[in-house]
Amino acid sequence: MDRLRRYRRTIPALLALAAAVVVASCTNPFAPRLEPELEPPSSVLGDQRMVDGVFQNIRYAYNYRDTLIYGNLLHRDFEFRYFNSDRGTDVTFNRDEEMRITANLFKSADQIDLQWNDILSQDGDSIVYNVTRSYHLKVTLQANEVFRVDGRATLRLVRSSPNDPWLIRVWRDDSNF
């Protein structure tokens, strides 16, 4: 009798195990696997080990209002600088302030369109690189209030070694806003 009880307890476990093996070995004919050679893997994000990849990722972060991507571009000692014409002085934000301000912009905007234009100057080496580039930024807020900004951004990119991704250490913004 004890032997029969043990078998009755193990039979459901064996059936569940057999069902799991059968299900795991089946393929769904309504969702066949994609052949890897049909469509090469691609990403809308740039390779941040390349200077152009940094600009591609900034554009992605703004256009898709993605603070995670934007935050991954910024060095822990990041500084955002601009000239405040009303005060007649330079204003600097640290990384935390920049992330807070950018997150508020991303939340408030219905649409953001950042376009990078000409590279005006660039110099540096494999560890520190300075790039000045013009841009056009269009921000559409609720009630179709549109702000257009044309400007120039000077970025100081840094990294620990040539194989590491570039991070933005300083962003100097000169714009008409």
Side-chain angles (χ1 to χ4, degrees):
M1 194 63 129
D2 287 334
R3 192 185 241 176
L4 184 60
R5 286 185 188 160
R6 274 189 298 206
Y7 285 132
R8 284 187 178 167
R9 281 187 233 150
T10 57
I11 288 176
L14 289 174
L15 287 175
L17 179 63
V21 168
V22 168
V23 168
S25 66
C26 293
T27 58
N28 182 349
F30 300 105
R33 268 188 307 178
L34 295 176
E35 295 298 323
E37 60 273 358
L38 293 179
E39 199 163 319
S42 65
S43 173
V44 293
L45 294 177
D47 182 353
Q48 214 167 302
R49 292 172 296 171
M50 311 292 289
V51 171
D52 193 51
V54 172
F55 285 96
Q56 186 177 345
N57 290 351
I58 296 169
R59 182 173 188 264
Y60 176 90
Y62 268 75
N63 291 353
Y64 292 97
R65 299 172 295 189
D66 190 325
T67 55
L68 181 62
I69 297 298
Y70 187 67
N72 286 333
L73 290 160
L74 307 182
H75 189 273
R76 69 180 177 279
D77 296 323
F78 173 83
E79 291 180 357
F80 181 87
R81 300 176 185 164
Y82 74 98
F83 182 75
N84 183 320
S85 58
D86 294 336
R87 294 187 203 167
T89 184
D90 277 338
V91 177
T92 302
F93 298 136
N94 66 27
R95 187 182 193 286
D96 291 341
E97 292 169 308
E98 172 66 10
M99 287 302 300
R100 183 180 49 77
I101 291 166
T102 302
N104 286 336
L105 170 67
F106 289 0
K107 286 177 192 171
S108 301
D110 283 343
Q111 184 177 3
I112 299 177
D113 183 30
L114 171 64
Q115 296 294 322
W116 289 110
N117 300 319
D118 297 333
I119 293 176
L120 306 172
S121 70
Q122 57 185 338
D123 65 34
D125 56 35
S126 62
I127 305 297
V128 177
Y129 205 80
N130 298 301
V131 182
T132 300
R133 193 165 186 181
S134 62
Y135 67 88
H136 176 74
L137 177 65
K138 178 182 166 187
V139 179
T140 305
L141 300 176
Q142 294 172 350
N144 292 324
E145 189 175 8
V146 178
F147 295 93
R148 297 178 196 284
V149 180
D150 290 304
R152 172 174 82 217
T154 301
L155 276 56
R156 170 166 286 177
L157 305 175
V158 298
R159 59 185 173 183
S160 299
S161 76
N163 295 326
D164 290 337
W166 288 108
L167 296 173
I168 306 168
R169 172 64 178 81
V170 177
W171 180 324
R172 169 71 188 190
D173 190 77
D174 295 303
S175 68
N176 64 346
F177 194 70

